[in-house]
Amino acid sequence: MATLAIPQNTIAVLQKYNFNFQKKYGQNFLIDPRVLDKIICAAGIVKEDFVLEIGPGIGTMTQYLCEHAGSVAAVEIDRNLIPILEDTLSAYDNVEIIQQDILKMDIGCFVQERNQGKPIKVVANLPYYITTPIIMGLFESHVPLESITVMVQKEVAERMQVGPGTKDYGALSLAVQYYAEPEIVANVPPNCFMPRPKVGSAVIRLTRHREAPVRVADERQMFAIIRASFNQRRKTLVNGLNNAPDIARSKEELVLALEKMNLPANVRGETLSLEQFAKLSDLLQ
Ligand code: SAM
């Protein structure tokens, strides 16, 4: 099968199978070989790698992954794409096609079975409607990971990279930076996809930290505090946390903890660094 990463070959496959795009699954297929080269290169795919691809579509990126990786597992929710993938990937014996909703899959267990629990690389042109749950699910369930290299909406990629004091800084930035080192490796315009998305896209690589950049006694509590502070962005940190049912601390306790950190009682969550959230969480233990 010829490479799918040029528009006429993608169109030929879509016509052969009379395929209709499903908007609800965020289907925007890549048609630019330069973008695919950049993704493979940024992910540093080599023959020793076990790669999990989320949402292979008709197999455009999967073909590239099969050429470079040792093994590829491609998880696709849309049943109509499975016969197409079996056709477009028939030349490769190092790929497993799995029809599944990635959000319902026990990826930790899967990695244990297929790669003896050794760290994998995740590479994907993600369905944008579930970018955050996919990425957070991978990190929070402690799947053994080396890196995640994904195409996401440009604004979301920027949100993952920014620090305190910027308007895009939020719970996603802190969570991603706690688990990994983010780096935007390419900006990708809508004309690289079929059909064209309404938004700009970017490829971001998240390299898993070997050790978390901050120490915190209770990771869950820290993330509950982070979520509560950004849920009510306009409120001061004290009011945001005092209103959050899963924090359950009085205003006095919260102000005291902030005082110990030399922070004013009216400080807002968006100015705190990851280190400061970790310290606050420990003080509220
Ligand atoms: N990788 C292909 C490419 O680059 O051309 C397709 C990318 S497209 C943006 C996203 C793909 O994810 C679609 O094939 C869609 O059907 C699939 N998808 C959407 N939701 C999914 C889910 N919950 N689990 C697995 N795959 C999903």
Side-chain angles (χ1 to χ4, degrees):
M1 168 69 65
T3 175
L4 296 162
I6 49 171
Q8 53 270 44
N9 290 354
T10 288
I11 291 169
V13 168
L14 298 176
Q15 284 177 344
K16 177 174 170 192
Y17 287 91
N18 202 11
F19 179 77
N20 291 314
F21 289 102
Q22 298 245 36
K23 228 179 172 179
K24 66 170 178 185
Y25 290 146
Q27 292 176 341
N28 300 95
F29 298 163
L30 267 166
I31 47 166
D32 188 327
R34 289 165 304 180
V35 176
L36 285 150
D37 283 333
K38 267 190 200 160
I39 296 174
I40 301 294
C41 178
I45 304 296
V46 290
K47 282 289 169 207
E48 287 70 40
D49 288 332
F50 182 100
V51 176
L52 169 66
E53 185 190 6
I54 299 163
I58 59 171
T60 314
M61 184 147 78
T62 328
Q63 289 183 331
Y64 277 64
L65 292 169
C66 290
E67 293 285 345
H68 292 83
S71 308
V72 180
V75 179
E76 175 55 60
I77 196 170
D78 187 350
R79 283 176 195 282
N80 294 332
L81 287 167
I82 304 303
I84 305 184
L85 286 165
E86 280 164 359
D87 181 6
T88 58
L89 301 174
S90 60
Y92 301 101
D93 59 5
N94 58 345
V95 61
E96 181 182 4
I97 302 161
I98 301 155
Q99 195 272 315
Q100 256 274 33
D101 177 347
I102 192 69
L103 295 179
K104 295 197 178 133
M105 195 167 153
D106 183 341
I107 306 173
C109 186
F110 180 77
V111 175
Q112 191 58 44
E113 273 175 22
R114 302 293 200 283
N115 203 37
Q116 298 78 49
K118 290 186 297 224
I120 61 159
K121 288 182 178 169
V122 174
V123 183
N125 169 15
L126 285 179
Y128 293 174
Y129 73 107
I130 43 170
T131 300
T132 303
I134 291 177
I135 293 179
M136 292 319 300
L138 286 165
F139 283 139
E140 282 170 358
S141 57
H142 294 275
V143 171
L145 281 176
E146 209 173 312
S147 61
I148 303 177
T149 307
V150 279
M151 177 88 71
V152 296
Q153 196 179 323
K154 191 166 179 272
E155 282 71 24
V156 177
E158 282 161 1
R159 228 179 287 155
M160 291 185 208
Q161 251 200 178
V162 293
T166 51
K167 77 169 177 17
D168 290 331
Y169 184 61
L172 181 65
S173 332
L174 284 154
V176 163
Q177 291 165 30
Y178 177 70
Y179 291 109
E181 170 84 43
E183 188 187 348
I184 294 180
V185 292
N187 283 317
V188 183
N191 62 3
C192 296
F193 302 86
M194 185 184 293
R196 293 180 182 195
K198 289 200 176 73
V199 292
S201 304
V203 179
I204 189 163
R205 182 183 55 225
L206 310 174
T207 310
R208 186 85 161 88
H209 292 307
R210 282 181 197 276
E211 254 180 64
V214 297
R215 276 175 192 273
V216 61
D218 184 346
E219 205 177 287
R220 269 173 192 275
Q221 175 176 276
M222 179 178 75
F223 281 113
I225 293 173
I226 289 173
R227 273 193 300 274
S229 3
F230 287 98
N231 267 349
Q232 299 177 314
R233 254 194 127 94
R234 302 231 165 124
K235 294 209 157 108
T236 62
L237 185 64
V238 168
N239 283 337
L241 295 187
N242 183 242
N243 289 336
D246 51 347
I247 308 289
R249 296 292 191 287
S250 68
K251 281 195 180 182
E252 291 68 31
E253 281 175 292
L254 294 165
V255 172
L256 192 67
L258 290 177
E259 261 173 27
K260 285 188 184 156
M261 295 172 63
N262 294 324
L263 290 171
N266 64 352
V267 72
R268 286 177 197 277
E270 66 209 29
T271 65
L272 265 64
S273 65
L274 179 60
E275 217 168 355
Q276 287 171 311
F277 274 113
K279 183 147 192 224
L280 179 62
S281 174
D282 283 352
L283 285 169
L284 295 176
Q285 266 296 91

